[in-house]
Amino acid sequence: DVKVTQSSRYLVKRTGEKVFLECVQDMDHENMFWYRQDPGLGLRLIYFSYDVKMKEKGDIPEGYSVSREKKERFSLILESASTNQTSMYLCASSLRPGRAGELFFGEGSRLTVL
Amino acid sequence: GNSVTQMEGPVTLSEEAFLTINCTYTATGYPSLFWYVQYPGEGLQLLLKATKADDKGSNKGFEATYRKETTSFHLEKGSVQVSDSAVYFCALSQGGSTLGRLYFGRGTQLTVWP
């Protein structure tokens, strides 16, 4: 079975802390994505990566950075967490080339910033 | 640009009722269209898809037809069950893209009562 694993289901951090959200996939997928999910706003793309050490900004990259040192791992970094970054974060992966749009999602990491 | 508009929820139905969740899109080229479902406490998973005009995607009793003339991809099910309670997301993938990026609607919460 395909698997996307996010390291933490729930995190509570303080304003100004540096936060790492880790995502690992075991499907040898080229593409990996970080989305943010907020009620009434749906899913918004933060960053994505189509290869090791490659990254592209999504729609809301401000306040975030990413790292992809290995194909299977894609990390989302909040350099200085703020309360407006309280949200559910979803990692996903997909093949490239392949069946366009067939994303496989992790279970999500719910971050609360106090 | 690319965007997806889906009907706002929440939608509340009795078991065995007929379900329609409307979805319309704006895209350049020839996108692929998707419905994803998110059950409580889980990540998103692909429900069905259609990759060209007039295609019908189907899965678990759900159906959606890719209508290019009305730029729509409405989700239907003839008889819903309590276990269908979830959030449903319509999404599109830009035609020709190999990066697999998806554009999501805001989601529609469905609650089915016994």
Side-chain angles (χ1 to χ4, degrees):
Chain A
D1 243 1
V2 297
K3 193 80 173 170
V4 177
T5 303
Q6 295 184 229
S7 55
S8 304
R9 292 294 304 273
Y10 301 95
L11 304 93
V12 180
K13 299 292 182 180
R14 297 208 174 273
T15 302
E17 280 192 77
K18 190 169 186 175
V19 181
F20 293 87
L21 299 179
E22 305 284 345
C23 175
V24 176
Q25 50 95 4
D26 65 359
M27 298 165 284
D28 203 34
H29 284 171
E30 285 85 359
N31 297 339
M32 295 189 76
F33 306 81
W34 276 107
Y35 284 90
R36 171 175 170 162
Q37 182 180 10
D38 299 287
L41 297 178
L43 276 72
R44 294 179 290 168
L45 183 64
I46 305 171
Y47 268 97
F48 61 103
S49 168
Y50 52 88
D51 206 345
V52 176
K53 297 192 185 296
M54 306 300 287
K55 61 184 179 184
E56 294 283 340
K57 292 181 179 180
D59 300 321
I60 52 164
E62 296 79 18
Y64 303 94
S65 63
V66 290
S67 171
R68 192 156 181 212
E69 296 295 319
K70 294 185 177 182
K71 190 177 185 180
E72 67 271 18
R73 187 180 299 269
F74 192 36
S75 302
L76 180 69
I77 303 154
L78 288 67
E79 294 289 342
S80 177
S82 63
T83 54
N84 63 12
Q85 293 178 309
T86 292
S87 186
M88 171 70 86
Y89 292 88
L90 294 171
C91 176
S93 70
S94 71
L95 279 170
R96 179 182 63 89
R99 292 177 287 185
E102 195 157 357
L103 298 189
F104 295 86
F105 282 85
E107 292 185 323
S109 298
R110 184 168 293 282
L111 171 66
T112 301
V113 183
L114 302 175
Chain B
N2 300 304
S3 67
V4 175
T5 302
Q6 60 182 104
M7 66 184 283
E8 294 189 17
V11 174
T12 304
L13 295 173
S14 298
E15 208 165 25
E16 299 183 3
F18 184 86
L19 168 71
T20 300
I21 301 177
N22 290 337
C23 172
T24 57
Y25 68 89
T26 302
T28 55
Y30 302 95
S32 295
L33 301 173
F34 306 83
W35 278 99
Y36 278 78
V37 59
Q38 184 179 34
Y39 297 106
E42 299 183 12
L44 277 72
Q45 56 186 272
L46 179 65
L47 179 60
L48 54 83
K49 68 176 182 180
T51 57
K52 61 182 188 296
D54 300 324
D55 267 4
K56 177 185 282 188
S58 61
N59 187 25
K60 299 182 180 180
F62 291 89
E63 293 183 338
T65 301
Y66 188 163
R67 301 282 187 204
K68 190 168 183 290
E69 63 276 14
T70 55
T71 61
S72 65
F73 193 56
H74 304 321
L75 182 68
E76 296 182 337
K77 187 174 186 183
S79 176
V80 294
Q81 305 300 312
V82 172
S83 57
D84 294 326
S85 297
V87 182
Y88 293 82
F89 292 92
C90 186
L92 73 83
S93 177
Q94 180 59 57
S97 167
T98 60
L99 297 181
R101 180 197 163 148
L102 287 188
Y103 297 83
F104 285 89
R106 295 189 175 189
T108 302
Q109 172 78 54
L110 170 66
T111 301
V112 181
W113 296 99

